[in-house]
PDB file of all heavy atoms in Angstrom:
ATOM      1  N   VAL A   1      29.075   5.930 -46.981  1.00  0.00           N
ATOM      2  CA  VAL A   1      30.214   6.829 -47.137  1.00  0.00           C
ATOM      3  C   VAL A   1      29.716   8.192 -47.612  1.00  0.00           C
ATOM      4  O   VAL A   1      30.206   9.273 -47.207  1.00  0.00           O
ATOM      5  CB  VAL A   1      31.239   6.218 -48.168  1.00  0.00           C
ATOM      6  CG1 VAL A   1      32.307   7.218 -48.410  1.00  0.00           C
ATOM      7  CG2 VAL A   1      31.853   4.962 -47.545  1.00  0.00           C
ATOM      8  N   LYS A   2      28.732   8.248 -48.479  1.00  0.00           N
ATOM      9  CA  LYS A   2      28.144   9.486 -48.947  1.00  0.00           C
ATOM     10  C   LYS A   2      27.611  10.249 -47.741  1.00  0.00           C
ATOM     11  O   LYS A   2      27.796  11.513 -47.669  1.00  0.00           O
ATOM     12  CB  LYS A   2      27.086   9.239 -49.986  1.00  0.00           C
ATOM     13  CG  LYS A   2      26.465  10.502 -50.559  1.00  0.00           C
ATOM     14  CD  LYS A   2      25.462  10.146 -51.614  1.00  0.00           C
ATOM     15  CE  LYS A   2      24.835  11.481 -52.190  1.00  0.00           C
ATOM     16  NZ  LYS A   2      23.802  11.153 -53.205  1.00  0.00           N
ATOM     17  N   GLY A   3      26.929   9.551 -46.860  1.00  0.00           N
ATOM     18  CA  GLY A   3      26.356  10.197 -45.646  1.00  0.00           C
ATOM     19  C   GLY A   3      27.476  10.743 -44.764  1.00  0.00           C
ATOM     20  O   GLY A   3      27.349  11.837 -44.171  1.00  0.00           O
ATOM     21  N   GLU A   4      28.510   9.949 -44.630  1.00  0.00           N
ATOM     22  CA  GLU A   4      29.653  10.436 -43.785  1.00  0.00           C
ATOM     23  C   GLU A   4      30.357  11.656 -44.411  1.00  0.00           C
ATOM     24  O   GLU A   4      30.824  12.569 -43.672  1.00  0.00           O
ATOM     25  CB  GLU A   4      30.627   9.275 -43.573  1.00  0.00           C
ATOM     26  CG  GLU A   4      30.114   8.157 -42.696  1.00  0.00           C
ATOM     27  CD  GLU A   4      31.112   7.110 -42.410  1.00  0.00           C
ATOM     28  OE1 GLU A   4      32.176   7.092 -43.058  1.00  0.00           O
ATOM     29  OE2 GLU A   4      30.832   6.239 -41.590  1.00  0.00           O
ATOM     30  N   ARG A   5      30.463  11.667 -45.718  1.00  0.00           N
ATOM     31  CA  ARG A   5      31.061  12.848 -46.377  1.00  0.00           C
ATOM     32  C   ARG A   5      30.189  14.065 -46.135  1.00  0.00           C
ATOM     33  O   ARG A   5      30.714  15.156 -45.835  1.00  0.00           O
ATOM     34  CB  ARG A   5      31.187  12.557 -47.856  1.00  0.00           C
ATOM     35  CG  ARG A   5      32.228  11.506 -48.209  1.00  0.00           C
ATOM     36  CD  ARG A   5      32.192  11.142 -49.710  1.00  0.00           C
ATOM     37  NE  ARG A   5      32.534  12.295 -50.521  1.00  0.00           N
ATOM     38  CZ  ARG A   5      32.358  12.286 -51.885  1.00  0.00           C
ATOM     39  NH1 ARG A   5      31.866  11.166 -52.415  1.00  0.00           N
ATOM     40  NH2 ARG A   5      32.693  13.353 -52.528  1.00  0.00           N
ATOM     41  N   ALA A   6      28.853  13.884 -46.242  1.00  0.00           N
ATOM     42  CA  ALA A   6      27.930  15.002 -46.036  1.00  0.00           C
ATOM     43  C   ALA A   6      27.987  15.503 -44.606  1.00  0.00           C
ATOM     44  O   ALA A   6      27.815  16.689 -44.299  1.00  0.00           O
ATOM     45  CB  ALA A   6      26.525  14.572 -46.384  1.00  0.00           C
ATOM     46  N   ALA A   7      28.269  14.558 -43.691  1.00  0.00           N
ATOM     47  CA  ALA A   7      28.333  14.909 -42.251  1.00  0.00           C
ATOM     48  C   ALA A   7      29.732  15.426 -41.821  1.00  0.00           C
ATOM     49  O   ALA A   7      29.929  15.777 -40.665  1.00  0.00           O
ATOM     50  CB  ALA A   7      27.932  13.759 -41.385  1.00  0.00           C
ATOM     51  N   GLY A   8      30.629  15.417 -42.763  1.00  0.00           N
ATOM     52  CA  GLY A   8      31.986  15.907 -42.480  1.00  0.00           C
ATOM     53  C   GLY A   8      32.792  14.845 -41.788  1.00  0.00           C
ATOM     54  O   GLY A   8      33.843  15.200 -41.216  1.00  0.00           O
ATOM     55  N   LEU A   9      32.368  13.580 -41.800  1.00  0.00           N
ATOM     56  CA  LEU A   9      33.117  12.560 -41.114  1.00  0.00           C
ATOM     57  C   LEU A   9      34.156  11.915 -42.028  1.00  0.00           C
ATOM     58  O   LEU A   9      34.928  11.086 -41.562  1.00  0.00           O
ATOM     59  CB  LEU A   9      32.145  11.484 -40.665  1.00  0.00           C
ATOM     60  CG  LEU A   9      31.001  11.946 -39.729  1.00  0.00           C
ATOM     61  CD1 LEU A   9      30.104  10.778 -39.335  1.00  0.00           C
ATOM     62  CD2 LEU A   9      31.540  12.601 -38.483  1.00  0.00           C
ATOM     63  N   CYS A  10      34.113  12.292 -43.306  1.00  0.00           N
ATOM     64  CA  CYS A  10      35.073  11.654 -44.238  1.00  0.00           C
ATOM     65  C   CYS A  10      35.415  12.716 -45.284  1.00  0.00           C
ATOM     66  O   CYS A  10      34.583  13.539 -45.675  1.00  0.00           O
ATOM     67  CB  CYS A  10      34.348  10.482 -44.869  1.00  0.00           C
ATOM     68  SG  CYS A  10      35.306   9.757 -46.293  1.00  0.00           S
ATOM     69  N   GLY A  11      36.662  12.696 -45.678  1.00  0.00           N
ATOM     70  CA  GLY A  11      37.097  13.712 -46.655  1.00  0.00           C
ATOM     71  C   GLY A  11      36.545  13.379 -48.021  1.00  0.00           C
ATOM     72  O   GLY A  11      36.066  12.240 -48.260  1.00  0.00           O
ATOM     73  N   ASP A  12      36.604  14.351 -48.906  1.00  0.00           N
ATOM     74  CA  ASP A  12      36.040  14.133 -50.270  1.00  0.00           C
ATOM     75  C   ASP A  12      37.098  13.660 -51.242  1.00  0.00           C
ATOM     76  O   ASP A  12      36.723  13.363 -52.394  1.00  0.00           O
ATOM     77  CB  ASP A  12      35.407  15.455 -50.782  1.00  0.00           C
ATOM     78  CG  ASP A  12      34.144  15.837 -49.958  1.00  0.00           C
ATOM     79  OD1 ASP A  12      33.460  14.879 -49.510  1.00  0.00           O
ATOM     80  OD2 ASP A  12      33.891  17.013 -49.864  1.00  0.00           O
ATOM     81  N   ASP A  13      38.333  13.663 -50.851  1.00  0.00           N
ATOM     82  CA  ASP A  13      39.360  13.250 -51.806  1.00  0.00           C
ATOM     83  C   ASP A  13      39.277  11.736 -52.068  1.00  0.00           C
ATOM     84  O   ASP A  13      38.706  10.992 -51.205  1.00  0.00           O
ATOM     85  CB  ASP A  13      40.762  13.606 -51.267  1.00  0.00           C
ATOM     86  CG  ASP A  13      41.068  12.952 -49.981  1.00  0.00           C
ATOM     87  OD1 ASP A  13      40.544  13.462 -48.918  1.00  0.00           O
ATOM     88  OD2 ASP A  13      41.756  11.901 -49.947  1.00  0.00           O
ATOM     89  N   GLU A  14      39.839  11.316 -53.146  1.00  0.00           N
ATOM     90  CA  GLU A  14      39.745   9.913 -53.549  1.00  0.00           C
ATOM     91  C   GLU A  14      40.310   8.922 -52.505  1.00  0.00           C
ATOM     92  O   GLU A  14      39.737   7.913 -52.258  1.00  0.00           O
ATOM     93  CB  GLU A  14      40.477   9.752 -54.904  1.00  0.00           C
ATOM     94  CG  GLU A  14      40.325   8.342 -55.538  1.00  0.00           C
ATOM     95  CD  GLU A  14      40.972   8.240 -56.899  1.00  0.00           C
ATOM     96  OE1 GLU A  14      41.195   9.320 -57.550  1.00  0.00           O
ATOM     97  OE2 GLU A  14      41.281   7.112 -57.290  1.00  0.00           O
ATOM     98  N   GLU A  15      41.418   9.322 -51.920  1.00  0.00           N
ATOM     99  CA  GLU A  15      42.072   8.444 -50.925  1.00  0.00           C
ATOM    100  C   GLU A  15      41.217   8.240 -49.688  1.00  0.00           C
ATOM    101  O   GLU A  15      41.070   7.128 -49.199  1.00  0.00           O
ATOM    102  CB  GLU A  15      43.425   9.031 -50.563  1.00  0.00           C
ATOM    103  CG  GLU A  15      44.219   8.118 -49.601  1.00  0.00           C
ATOM    104  CD  GLU A  15      45.595   8.675 -49.284  1.00  0.00           C
ATOM    105  OE1 GLU A  15      45.992   9.754 -49.886  1.00  0.00           O
ATOM    106  OE2 GLU A  15      46.282   8.114 -48.415  1.00  0.00           O
ATOM    107  N   SER A  16      40.587   9.343 -49.277  1.00  0.00           N
ATOM    108  CA  SER A  16      39.743   9.281 -48.070  1.00  0.00           C
ATOM    109  C   SER A  16      38.508   8.405 -48.334  1.00  0.00           C
ATOM    110  O   SER A  16      38.117   7.628 -47.455  1.00  0.00           O
ATOM    111  CB  SER A  16      39.329  10.682 -47.623  1.00  0.00           C
ATOM    112  OG  SER A  16      40.437  11.441 -47.224  1.00  0.00           O
ATOM    113  N   VAL A  17      37.895   8.619 -49.504  1.00  0.00           N
ATOM    114  CA  VAL A  17      36.679   7.811 -49.843  1.00  0.00           C
ATOM    115  C   VAL A  17      37.060   6.323 -49.945  1.00  0.00           C
ATOM    116  O   VAL A  17      36.322   5.495 -49.426  1.00  0.00           O
ATOM    117  CB  VAL A  17      36.141   8.334 -51.162  1.00  0.00           C
ATOM    118  CG1 VAL A  17      34.986   7.391 -51.679  1.00  0.00           C
ATOM    119  CG2 VAL A  17      35.574   9.727 -51.010  1.00  0.00           C
ATOM    120  N   ALA A  18      38.175   5.990 -50.611  1.00  0.00           N
ATOM    121  CA  ALA A  18      38.567   4.608 -50.722  1.00  0.00           C
ATOM    122  C   ALA A  18      38.881   3.968 -49.316  1.00  0.00           C
ATOM    123  O   ALA A  18      38.502   2.829 -49.090  1.00  0.00           O
ATOM    124  CB  ALA A  18      39.819   4.510 -51.592  1.00  0.00           C
ATOM    125  N   ALA A  19      39.506   4.736 -48.481  1.00  0.00           N
ATOM    126  CA  ALA A  19      39.761   4.214 -47.124  1.00  0.00           C
ATOM    127  C   ALA A  19      38.442   3.970 -46.384  1.00  0.00           C
ATOM    128  O   ALA A  19      38.332   2.980 -45.641  1.00  0.00           O
ATOM    129  CB  ALA A  19      40.681   5.242 -46.373  1.00  0.00           C
ATOM    130  N   ALA A  20      37.503   4.887 -46.495  1.00  0.00           N
ATOM    131  CA  ALA A  20      36.238   4.672 -45.822  1.00  0.00           C
ATOM    132  C   ALA A  20      35.501   3.502 -46.303  1.00  0.00           C
ATOM    133  O   ALA A  20      34.901   2.714 -45.583  1.00  0.00           O
ATOM    134  CB  ALA A  20      35.386   5.973 -45.981  1.00  0.00           C
ATOM    135  N   LYS A  21      35.538   3.283 -47.667  1.00  0.00           N
ATOM    136  CA  LYS A  21      34.831   2.084 -48.189  1.00  0.00           C
ATOM    137  C   LYS A  21      35.549   0.798 -47.774  1.00  0.00           C
ATOM    138  O   LYS A  21      34.829  -0.205 -47.509  1.00  0.00           O
ATOM    139  CB  LYS A  21      34.824   2.172 -49.733  1.00  0.00           C
ATOM    140  CG  LYS A  21      33.905   3.260 -50.332  1.00  0.00           C
ATOM    141  CD  LYS A  21      33.871   3.186 -51.812  1.00  0.00           C
ATOM    142  CE  LYS A  21      32.902   4.250 -52.364  1.00  0.00           C
ATOM    143  NZ  LYS A  21      32.832   4.202 -53.806  1.00  0.00           N
ATOM    144  N   ALA A  22      36.831   0.839 -47.669  1.00  0.00           N
ATOM    145  CA  ALA A  22      37.545  -0.356 -47.208  1.00  0.00           C
ATOM    146  C   ALA A  22      37.183  -0.718 -45.812  1.00  0.00           C
ATOM    147  O   ALA A  22      37.190  -1.930 -45.496  1.00  0.00           O
ATOM    148  CB  ALA A  22      39.115  -0.097 -47.290  1.00  0.00           C
ATOM    149  N   ILE A  23      36.871   0.257 -44.966  1.00  0.00           N
ATOM    150  CA  ILE A  23      36.497  -0.048 -43.552  1.00  0.00           C
ATOM    151  C   ILE A  23      35.220  -0.864 -43.507  1.00  0.00           C
ATOM    152  O   ILE A  23      35.077  -1.775 -42.733  1.00  0.00           O
ATOM    153  CB  ILE A  23      36.328   1.266 -42.798  1.00  0.00           C
ATOM    154  CG1 ILE A  23      37.656   1.956 -42.607  1.00  0.00           C
ATOM    155  CG2 ILE A  23      35.626   1.028 -41.418  1.00  0.00           C
ATOM    156  CD1 ILE A  23      37.588   3.308 -41.994  1.00  0.00           C
ATOM    157  N   TYR A  24      34.299  -0.543 -44.438  1.00  0.00           N
ATOM    158  CA  TYR A  24      32.985  -1.248 -44.404  1.00  0.00           C
ATOM    159  C   TYR A  24      33.003  -2.537 -45.282  1.00  0.00           C
ATOM    160  O   TYR A  24      32.041  -3.273 -45.248  1.00  0.00           O
ATOM    161  CB  TYR A  24      31.905  -0.324 -44.973  1.00  0.00           C
ATOM    162  CG  TYR A  24      31.592   0.816 -44.006  1.00  0.00           C
ATOM    163  CD1 TYR A  24      32.101   2.095 -44.253  1.00  0.00           C
ATOM    164  CD2 TYR A  24      30.826   0.642 -42.825  1.00  0.00           C
ATOM    165  CE1 TYR A  24      31.834   3.130 -43.319  1.00  0.00           C
ATOM    166  CE2 TYR A  24      30.527   1.617 -41.977  1.00  0.00           C
ATOM    167  CZ  TYR A  24      31.083   2.920 -42.203  1.00  0.00           C
ATOM    168  OH  TYR A  24      30.763   3.927 -41.312  1.00  0.00           O
ATOM    169  N   ALA A  25      34.015  -2.806 -46.065  1.00  0.00           N
ATOM    170  CA  ALA A  25      34.018  -3.896 -47.008  1.00  0.00           C
ATOM    171  C   ALA A  25      33.797  -5.241 -46.363  1.00  0.00           C
ATOM    172  O   ALA A  25      33.169  -6.116 -46.952  1.00  0.00           O
ATOM    173  CB  ALA A  25      35.325  -3.882 -47.808  1.00  0.00           C
ATOM    174  N   GLY A  26      34.362  -5.435 -45.122  1.00  0.00           N
ATOM    175  CA  GLY A  26      34.198  -6.698 -44.519  1.00  0.00           C
ATOM    176  C   GLY A  26      33.037  -6.836 -43.558  1.00  0.00           C
ATOM    177  O   GLY A  26      32.939  -7.884 -42.834  1.00  0.00           O
ATOM    178  N   GLN A  27      32.174  -5.834 -43.524  1.00  0.00           N
ATOM    179  CA  GLN A  27      31.074  -5.863 -42.511  1.00  0.00           C
ATOM    180  C   GLN A  27      29.931  -6.778 -43.000  1.00  0.00           C
ATOM    181  O   GLN A  27      29.679  -6.919 -44.204  1.00  0.00           O
ATOM    182  CB  GLN A  27      30.529  -4.445 -42.293  1.00  0.00           C
ATOM    183  CG  GLN A  27      31.487  -3.514 -41.590  1.00  0.00           C
ATOM    184  CD  GLN A  27      31.831  -4.028 -40.187  1.00  0.00           C
ATOM    185  OE1 GLN A  27      30.926  -4.192 -39.357  1.00  0.00           O
ATOM    186  NE2 GLN A  27      33.132  -4.250 -39.969  1.00  0.00           N
ATOM    187  N   PRO A  28      29.227  -7.462 -42.053  1.00  0.00           N
ATOM    188  CA  PRO A  28      28.051  -8.223 -42.414  1.00  0.00           C
ATOM    189  C   PRO A  28      26.967  -7.419 -43.166  1.00  0.00           C
ATOM    190  O   PRO A  28      26.877  -6.215 -42.870  1.00  0.00           O
ATOM    191  CB  PRO A  28      27.529  -8.732 -41.054  1.00  0.00           C
ATOM    192  CG  PRO A  28      28.678  -8.671 -40.131  1.00  0.00           C
ATOM    193  CD  PRO A  28      29.484  -7.435 -40.617  1.00  0.00           C
ATOM    194  N   LEU A  29      26.295  -8.030 -44.049  1.00  0.00           N
ATOM    195  CA  LEU A  29      25.287  -7.281 -44.870  1.00  0.00           C
ATOM    196  C   LEU A  29      24.268  -6.697 -43.985  1.00  0.00           C
ATOM    197  O   LEU A  29      23.751  -5.584 -44.227  1.00  0.00           O
ATOM    198  CB  LEU A  29      24.650  -8.259 -45.842  1.00  0.00           C
ATOM    199  CG  LEU A  29      23.767  -7.639 -46.921  1.00  0.00           C
ATOM    200  CD1 LEU A  29      24.551  -6.667 -47.784  1.00  0.00           C
ATOM    201  CD2 LEU A  29      23.115  -8.710 -47.789  1.00  0.00           C
ATOM    202  N   ALA A  30      23.826  -7.360 -42.964  1.00  0.00           N
ATOM    203  CA  ALA A  30      22.743  -6.826 -42.014  1.00  0.00           C
ATOM    204  C   ALA A  30      23.227  -5.565 -41.359  1.00  0.00           C
ATOM    205  O   ALA A  30      22.442  -4.615 -41.246  1.00  0.00           O
ATOM    206  CB  ALA A  30      22.434  -7.915 -40.985  1.00  0.00           C
ATOM    207  N   SER A  31      24.510  -5.527 -40.953  1.00  0.00           N
ATOM    208  CA  SER A  31      25.034  -4.289 -40.304  1.00  0.00           C
ATOM    209  C   SER A  31      25.048  -3.128 -41.271  1.00  0.00           C
ATOM    210  O   SER A  31      24.739  -2.000 -40.954  1.00  0.00           O
ATOM    211  CB  SER A  31      26.429  -4.597 -39.757  1.00  0.00           C
ATOM    212  OG  SER A  31      26.354  -5.579 -38.782  1.00  0.00           O
ATOM    213  N   LEU A  32      25.466  -3.432 -42.579  1.00  0.00           N
ATOM    214  CA  LEU A  32      25.551  -2.412 -43.608  1.00  0.00           C
ATOM    215  C   LEU A  32      24.134  -1.824 -43.868  1.00  0.00           C
ATOM    216  O   LEU A  32      23.954  -0.668 -43.996  1.00  0.00           O
ATOM    217  CB  LEU A  32      26.146  -2.961 -44.851  1.00  0.00           C
ATOM    218  CG  LEU A  32      27.613  -3.348 -44.807  1.00  0.00           C
ATOM    219  CD1 LEU A  32      28.066  -3.960 -46.134  1.00  0.00           C
ATOM    220  CD2 LEU A  32      28.544  -2.121 -44.502  1.00  0.00           C
ATOM    221  N   GLN A  33      23.191  -2.752 -43.964  1.00  0.00           N
ATOM    222  CA  GLN A  33      21.793  -2.343 -44.266  1.00  0.00           C
ATOM    223  C   GLN A  33      21.281  -1.441 -43.132  1.00  0.00           C
ATOM    224  O   GLN A  33      20.621  -0.424 -43.432  1.00  0.00           O
ATOM    225  CB  GLN A  33      20.939  -3.599 -44.403  1.00  0.00           C
ATOM    226  CG  GLN A  33      19.429  -3.263 -44.829  1.00  0.00           C
ATOM    227  CD  GLN A  33      19.380  -2.726 -46.227  1.00  0.00           C
ATOM    228  OE1 GLN A  33      19.752  -3.465 -47.178  1.00  0.00           O
ATOM    229  NE2 GLN A  33      18.927  -1.527 -46.446  1.00  0.00           N
ATOM    230  N   LYS A  34      21.507  -1.771 -41.935  1.00  0.00           N
ATOM    231  CA  LYS A  34      21.067  -0.976 -40.733  1.00  0.00           C
ATOM    232  C   LYS A  34      21.678   0.368 -40.765  1.00  0.00           C
ATOM    233  O   LYS A  34      21.017   1.405 -40.548  1.00  0.00           O
ATOM    234  CB  LYS A  34      21.369  -1.726 -39.454  1.00  0.00           C
ATOM    235  CG  LYS A  34      20.761  -1.111 -38.204  1.00  0.00           C
ATOM    236  CD  LYS A  34      20.982  -1.964 -37.024  1.00  0.00           C
ATOM    237  CE  LYS A  34      20.294  -1.405 -35.743  1.00  0.00           C
ATOM    238  NZ  LYS A  34      20.556  -2.266 -34.590  1.00  0.00           N
ATOM    239  N   ARG A  35      22.950   0.477 -41.019  1.00  0.00           N
ATOM    240  CA  ARG A  35      23.598   1.747 -41.035  1.00  0.00           C
ATOM    241  C   ARG A  35      23.187   2.613 -42.234  1.00  0.00           C
ATOM    242  O   ARG A  35      23.028   3.795 -42.094  1.00  0.00           O
ATOM    243  CB  ARG A  35      25.120   1.575 -40.979  1.00  0.00           C
ATOM    244  CG  ARG A  35      25.913   2.905 -40.852  1.00  0.00           C
ATOM    245  CD  ARG A  35      27.264   2.680 -40.288  1.00  0.00           C
ATOM    246  NE  ARG A  35      27.987   4.011 -40.144  1.00  0.00           N
ATOM    247  CZ  ARG A  35      27.774   4.878 -39.153  1.00  0.00           C
ATOM    248  NH1 ARG A  35      26.850   4.567 -38.199  1.00  0.00           N
ATOM    249  NH2 ARG A  35      28.414   5.987 -39.097  1.00  0.00           N
ATOM    250  N   ALA A  36      23.024   1.973 -43.359  1.00  0.00           N
ATOM    251  CA  ALA A  36      22.585   2.699 -44.544  1.00  0.00           C
ATOM    252  C   ALA A  36      21.208   3.306 -44.341  1.00  0.00           C
ATOM    253  O   ALA A  36      20.877   4.467 -44.714  1.00  0.00           O
ATOM    254  CB  ALA A  36      22.663   1.835 -45.797  1.00  0.00           C
ATOM    255  N   ASP A  37      20.330   2.515 -43.671  1.00  0.00           N
ATOM    256  CA  ASP A  37      18.998   2.992 -43.380  1.00  0.00           C
ATOM    257  C   ASP A  37      19.040   4.201 -42.469  1.00  0.00           C
ATOM    258  O   ASP A  37      18.300   5.145 -42.646  1.00  0.00           O
ATOM    259  CB  ASP A  37      18.154   1.870 -42.759  1.00  0.00           C
ATOM    260  CG  ASP A  37      17.817   0.788 -43.724  1.00  0.00           C
ATOM    261  OD1 ASP A  37      17.950   0.974 -44.941  1.00  0.00           O
ATOM    262  OD2 ASP A  37      17.436  -0.316 -43.265  1.00  0.00           O
ATOM    263  N   ALA A  38      19.974   4.179 -41.470  1.00  0.00           N
ATOM    264  CA  ALA A  38      20.118   5.330 -40.587  1.00  0.00           C
ATOM    265  C   ALA A  38      20.621   6.541 -41.298  1.00  0.00           C
ATOM    266  O   ALA A  38      20.153   7.647 -41.036  1.00  0.00           O
ATOM    267  CB  ALA A  38      21.030   4.899 -39.445  1.00  0.00           C
ATOM    268  N   VAL A  39      21.543   6.331 -42.230  1.00  0.00           N
ATOM    269  CA  VAL A  39      22.060   7.529 -42.961  1.00  0.00           C
ATOM    270  C   VAL A  39      20.984   8.100 -43.839  1.00  0.00           C
ATOM    271  O   VAL A  39      20.800   9.372 -43.859  1.00  0.00           O
ATOM    272  CB  VAL A  39      23.244   7.018 -43.871  1.00  0.00           C
ATOM    273  CG1 VAL A  39      23.633   8.082 -44.899  1.00  0.00           C
ATOM    274  CG2 VAL A  39      24.431   6.631 -43.046  1.00  0.00           C
ATOM    275  N   GLN A  40      20.171   7.260 -44.504  1.00  0.00           N
ATOM    276  CA  GLN A  40      19.076   7.807 -45.339  1.00  0.00           C
ATOM    277  C   GLN A  40      17.981   8.478 -44.480  1.00  0.00           C
ATOM    278  O   GLN A  40      17.461   9.494 -44.911  1.00  0.00           O
ATOM    279  CB  GLN A  40      18.437   6.650 -46.150  1.00  0.00           C
ATOM    280  CG  GLN A  40      19.429   6.122 -47.230  1.00  0.00           C
ATOM    281  CD  GLN A  40      18.861   4.940 -47.975  1.00  0.00           C
ATOM    282  OE1 GLN A  40      18.101   4.112 -47.403  1.00  0.00           O
ATOM    283  NE2 GLN A  40      19.217   4.786 -49.258  1.00  0.00           N
ATOM    284  N   ALA A  41      17.702   7.913 -43.296  1.00  0.00           N
ATOM    285  CA  ALA A  41      16.751   8.548 -42.490  1.00  0.00           C
ATOM    286  C   ALA A  41      17.234   9.922 -41.998  1.00  0.00           C
ATOM    287  O   ALA A  41      16.489  10.889 -41.908  1.00  0.00           O
ATOM    288  CB  ALA A  41      16.508   7.644 -41.241  1.00  0.00           C
ATOM    289  N   SER A  42      18.490  10.001 -41.623  1.00  0.00           N
ATOM    290  CA  SER A  42      19.058  11.346 -41.215  1.00  0.00           C
ATOM    291  C   SER A  42      19.043  12.319 -42.334  1.00  0.00           C
ATOM    292  O   SER A  42      18.699  13.521 -42.156  1.00  0.00           O
ATOM    293  CB  SER A  42      20.500  11.136 -40.714  1.00  0.00           C
ATOM    294  OG  SER A  42      20.518  10.268 -39.522  1.00  0.00           O
ATOM    295  N   ALA A  43      19.362  11.835 -43.541  1.00  0.00           N
ATOM    296  CA  ALA A  43      19.363  12.693 -44.721  1.00  0.00           C
ATOM    297  C   ALA A  43      17.941  13.214 -45.004  1.00  0.00           C
ATOM    298  O   ALA A  43      17.714  14.359 -45.393  1.00  0.00           O
ATOM    299  CB  ALA A  43      19.897  11.990 -45.942  1.00  0.00           C
ATOM    300  N   ALA A  44      16.956  12.335 -44.844  1.00  0.00           N
ATOM    301  CA  ALA A  44      15.566  12.728 -45.097  1.00  0.00           C
ATOM    302  C   ALA A  44      15.089  13.810 -44.130  1.00  0.00           C
ATOM    303  O   ALA A  44      14.253  14.681 -44.455  1.00  0.00           O
ATOM    304  CB  ALA A  44      14.626  11.496 -44.965  1.00  0.00           C
ATOM    305  N   LYS A  45      15.649  13.799 -42.915  1.00  0.00           N
ATOM    306  CA  LYS A  45      15.333  14.843 -41.915  1.00  0.00           C
ATOM    307  C   LYS A  45      16.143  16.107 -42.088  1.00  0.00           C
ATOM    308  O   LYS A  45      15.957  17.097 -41.301  1.00  0.00           O
ATOM    309  CB  LYS A  45      15.481  14.264 -40.473  1.00  0.00           C
ATOM    310  CG  LYS A  45      14.595  13.056 -40.207  1.00  0.00           C
ATOM    311  CD  LYS A  45      14.960  12.482 -38.860  1.00  0.00           C
ATOM    312  CE  LYS A  45      14.147  11.251 -38.532  1.00  0.00           C
ATOM    313  NZ  LYS A  45      14.496  10.677 -37.248  1.00  0.00           N
ATOM    314  N   GLY A  46      17.127  16.039 -42.923  1.00  0.00           N
ATOM    315  CA  GLY A  46      18.015  17.154 -43.097  1.00  0.00           C
ATOM    316  C   GLY A  46      19.002  17.289 -42.023  1.00  0.00           C
ATOM    317  O   GLY A  46      19.654  18.347 -41.851  1.00  0.00           O
TER     318      GLY A  46
END
């Protein structure tokens, strides 16, 4: 969610952040890990 906020894909207000987290709450751990790795890799490249 932090990566999506930085990319402008998610609003910074509390309601938008909570909605974004709720979307990922039911995802398999492996899927979350893969996407988080992609977010961190993108952030590292700027």
Side-chain angles (χ1 to χ4, degrees):
V1 174
K2 184 177 179 181
E4 291 184 351
R5 290 171 63 190
L9 304 179
C10 171
D12 291 329
D13 60 281
E14 185 176 340
E15 183 177 355
S16 298
V17 171
K21 289 184 177 181
I23 291 172
Y24 290 103
Q27 292 299 301
L29 189 62
S31 298
L32 293 176
Q33 185 68 61
K34 188 174 182 180
R35 185 157 181 79
D37 290 344
V39 169
Q40 290 176 327
S42 296
K45 297 175 183 178

